[in-house]
Amino acid sequence: MRVIYLADNLFDAHLVKHALEEVEIPAFVFGESLLGGMGELPLFGVLRVCVPDTAFPEAQGIVQALGLESRDDDPILEGDDEGMGILPA
């Protein structure tokens, strides 16, 4: 099994799983049962969508087509908050 997608939330994990299953690639969501124990603290990197090793190349294209890439590594640029209703200091 190989991890094809690290999900930030359960909705994205199942979206990827169902998209893969739609093209008959078996997919599994690991870490789902751990969400109940996290309480109010954010817990990241727990949800993983995995596929069999042989399906990995095909699954990569499907996940990329969904456009769910994480945007956490994008820098916050000055002025980005203007359209979000945040008042300048």
Side-chain angles (χ1 to χ4, degrees):
M1 295 295 282
R2 290 185 63 184
V3 175
I4 192 69
Y5 183 71
L6 288 173
D8 290 334
N9 58 65
L10 194 56
F11 297 111
D12 286 351
H14 279 278
L15 178 71
V16 170
K17 179 182 186 285
H18 291 295
L20 292 167
E21 289 176 340
E22 189 73 25
V23 294
E24 298 183 6
I25 296 175
F28 307 92
V29 177
F30 292 102
E32 191 170 358
S33 60
L34 298 173
L35 294 180
M38 72 181 205
E40 295 181 22
L41 298 174
L43 193 58
F44 300 103
V46 172
L47 290 171
R48 302 171 317 279
V49 181
C50 297
V51 296
D53 293 341
T54 57
F56 188 78
E58 183 182 357
Q60 275 185 310
I62 293 165
V63 172
Q64 288 174 352
L66 291 173
L68 293 174
E69 289 86 10
S70 178
R71 298 170 198 254
D72 294 341
D73 56 350
D74 290 343
I76 297 174
L77 302 175
E78 189 173 319
D80 278 355
D81 56 354
E82 290 177 13
M84 298 177 67
I86 299 172
L87 299 175

